[in-house]
Amino acid sequence: MIEVAENGLYLVLHVTDSRDVRLLHFGPQPYEPGLVPEKREEGFRLLELQLTGDDRAEYHGRTHRATFPGLRMQYKSFEDTRNGIGRKLEIALADPETKLESTTHIQFYDGISVARFWTVLRNAGAEPVGVEYVSTFALTGLDKEGAQDRDEKMRVSIPHSGWQSEIQWRTYTPPELGLSHVTDRSSKRISCSNTGSWSAAEHIPMAVLENKEAGTTLVWQIEHNGSWHWEIIDQFDYLTLLVSGPTEHDNHWWKQLRPGEEFASVPAAVGAVQGGFEEAIGQLTMYRRAIRRPNDDNRLLRVIFNDYMNCLWGKPTTEKLLPLIDAAAEVGSEYFCIDAGWYAPGDWWDGVGEWLPSMERFPEGIKYVLDYIRSKGMIPGLWLELEVMGIRSPKLAVTNDSWFFKRHGKRVKDRSRYQLDYRNPEVIAHANEVIRRLVEDYGVGYIKMDYNINAGVGTETDADSFGDGLLQHNRAYLAWLDSIFAKYPDLVIENCSSGGMRMDYAMLSRHSIQSTSDQEDYVKYAAIAASSPSALTPEQSAIWSYPLREGDDEEVVFNMVNAMLLRVHQSGHVAELSPRRRELVKEALDYYKTIRGDIRESLPFWPLGLPKAQDEWISFGLRRGDRAYVAVWRIGGDAAEAVLPIAGLAGADADARIAYPSASGGSRVAWDAAAGALRVALPQAKTARLIELTIKR
């Protein structure tokens, strides 16, 4: 037995006499010896690995259980070391037939109940092997604690996502997803996959599994900007979680590993807590901060003004921008980003690729406008979409097929754009020159990096499979990003993919800020904003606030509350707002600047549970020490009051006040110490308030 206890995580490995390695336990409680009967240990695999031409040993359907040589791999070595961030385990296995070797890497982080897992394969044999599947993390016995049946005690929470409808959590019992406890094993699986270059097109690459009887929760996130897969299956009368990057039959990925070659799987973070969803997300939030590239943007949380949403809509000109720049500075913005359209005189969608400013839009040159932004005390920014080239771009004249994704001999085309291949040195040189020109010649300090296509299953160029080409490109793009941040460490690059379609921690370990949505309706945005701290840290979550020309005071307040506990992405025609409504914007930003030091260190909570777009009341909060900030929205319905329980504060003495807006407009808040809850009254629908709670000790 190899037993490890680290940061509130307990891990138990059993190496049998036949050198089979079994992961018996990973969780927030010590392992109970004898909990897993010996005859059922066989299903507790440390690794699942399927090679082309090898057998399978079980009823599997589309599941990835009982793989070969996964079942054949034998113990080789175990290393237990420490590095600058925490404890590190390496468990090496080898296949006696093919001589393929695997090393499971487990990196712990001091003080955090989350570990990062990845698998490295090395072909130590004399013949090539074809890899169809390799697990990053495999854990059987998800339901082994507690006496109740798994159908009753287990809950899986999945973050569904979609364009303008990001981060919609839903919680299910296994039977509600079709995995009923009828046999000890079935061909059914609960699974989520992403295929393509939008990593969060349908689901955020994470999930949460709770054992309600044991009071424990497992959380995982797949840290990849392309295709990925996870599944929950049943085997040996237990539930199993398998987490991986792309696979052959789910994502068109297949890799030929030649003698001497290595392959590292897509990494995943896995955490376990005693507690529920909020406790798990709290640990994951701490982990996300630990793995993120150190940067001033996540320390300073500067206010961004962007001219796109419900404002210029991709049609900027000098004439339109100057009054908007003045107004943005007056309300307290610190970045001003000129969004799409600065590089073309008219319709620009299918002509992008050169990234040279339009003289028609900017007769004095774009540098005149960028310098004007800087003269107003703000840092200038520009929009880019540097991974694509329009099908009518003038830049195509100096390119060739090797620049682009190809399938079946043809360039991949999506929404009138081609996908650039970042494995190509000429593409890298092109991208480097665009960034150099913007930063060094134009003085840009902020780039909104958009990505509005999905490259699909991948590319055939220099690849063993379409998915292999995509994975290579994904990693090449990340390496390019690393090189840009190394050269320009103060440059802020916002991660945007039609809003939040690439919301993953391969990207967010590098980018300091993430666009969360292209949602144009401020009322519908509330649920997205409130959910966002589950998918990324609050200080990385950019939320649009776009007061409308035709709105009223409450519409301004609602817009501002959407963003005030996260990162403010201010927009809207602020120059055309009435003085009273513009003052409400300024009041919000002034208050935001007094609390952003707390935002960057706080942990999220949801008094009314995770929000749904259909909810009549929505709330989320951030807590740091004895201070908490709670945003509350009344979307609709007849109820003018809501009770917001704050976990762990029953019996606590506290002061509560409406921090924004200063004029309450008939809204009220009171602290119910006995219940540990805020009692909030909002007399009208489509209203919102930001509450500050100070806990007395």
Side-chain angles (χ1 to χ4, degrees), residues 526-575:
I528 298 169
S531 296
S532 67
S534 63
L536 65 163
T537 66
E539 64 272 21
Q540 289 178 285
S541 176
I543 303 294
W544 289 107
S545 169
Y546 35 69
L548 308 177
R549 285 168 165 149
E550 64 275 14
D552 58 16
D553 286 6
E554 288 295 354
E555 176 265 328
V556 175
V557 171
F558 196 111
N559 260 295
M560 300 309 298
V561 172
N562 281 353
M564 286 174 68
L565 293 185
L566 301 156
R567 288 299 297 276
V568 180
H569 239 170
Q570 193 65 49
S571 195
H573 287 282
V574 291

Side-chain angles (χ1 to χ4, degrees), residues 443-670:
V444 164
Y446 187 101
I447 292 173
K448 177 176 181 176
M449 192 73 81
D450 211 342
Y451 180 58
N452 287 300
I453 75 167
N454 191 331
V457 296
T459 178
E460 65 195 15
T461 304
D462 297 328
D464 296 329
S465 61
F466 293 149
D468 177 43
L470 176 61
L471 178 57
Q472 289 184 47
H473 159 79
N474 294 145
R475 289 173 163 172
Y477 183 75
L478 294 175
W480 174 78
L481 266 182
D482 290 339
S483 72
I484 293 299
F485 283 124
K487 186 172 183 179
Y488 304 110
D490 296 329
L491 179 65
V492 176
I493 304 179
E494 172 194 337
N495 186 36
C496 180
S497 297
S498 285
M501 296 294 93
R502 195 161 54 176
M503 205 180 299
D504 64 74
Y505 264 85
M507 301 294 279
L508 286 169
S509 63
R510 293 161 168 89
H511 290 280
S512 62
I513 190 165
Q514 167 74 51
S515 174
T516 52
S517 186
D518 280 349
Q519 176 54 249
E520 299 168 26
D521 184 329
Y522 71 94
V523 177
K524 294 177 181 177
Y525 211 138
I528 298 169
S531 296
S532 67
S534 63
L536 65 163
T537 66
E539 64 272 21
Q540 289 178 285
S541 176
I543 303 294
W544 289 107
S545 169
Y546 35 69
L548 308 177
R549 285 168 165 149
E550 64 275 14
D552 58 16
D553 286 6
E554 288 295 354
E555 176 265 328
V556 175
V557 171
F558 196 111
N559 260 295
M560 300 309 298
V561 172
N562 281 353
M564 286 174 68
L565 293 185
L566 301 156
R567 288 299 297 276
V568 180
H569 239 170
Q570 193 65 49
S571 195
H573 287 282
V574 291
E576 300 177 38
L577 300 181
S578 68
R580 165 66 190 156
R581 297 178 74 227
R582 195 189 302 187
E583 183 56 36
L584 281 170
V585 175
K586 186 177 187 306
E587 179 191 339
L589 297 182
D590 287 347
Y591 178 72
Y592 177 79
K593 291 172 185 177
T594 70
I595 68 171
R596 55 187 172 185
D598 285 341
I599 292 172
R600 70 187 186 214
E601 298 181 13
S602 61
L603 298 179
F605 61 93
W606 292 269
L608 299 176
L610 290 162
K612 299 188 292 294
Q614 299 78 20
D615 288 345
E616 295 178 351
W617 286 78
I618 290 171
S619 180
F620 97 96
L622 299 177
R623 183 173 175 183
R624 181 192 179 201
D626 292 339
R627 192 175 298 274
Y629 306 93
V630 182
V632 58
W633 297 264
R634 181 184 170 191
I635 308 299
D638 297 328
E641 297 188 4
V643 178
L644 312 181
I646 312 296
L649 292 186
D653 190 13
D655 290 330
R657 71 180 184 94
I658 295 175
Y660 175 77
S662 55
S664 62
S667 57
R668 302 185 309 277
V669 64

Side-chain angles (χ1 to χ4, degrees), residues 53 93 224 237 287 350 539 587:
L93 311 177
H224 184 50
D237 218 24
Y287 165 82
D350 59 5
E539 64 272 21
E587 179 191 339

Side-chain angles (χ1 to χ4, degrees), residues 305 322-333 573-576 582:
F305 191 97
L322 295 187
L324 202 54
I325 293 166
D326 289 342
E330 288 171 13
V331 297
S333 303
H573 287 282
V574 291
E576 300 177 38
R582 195 189 302 187

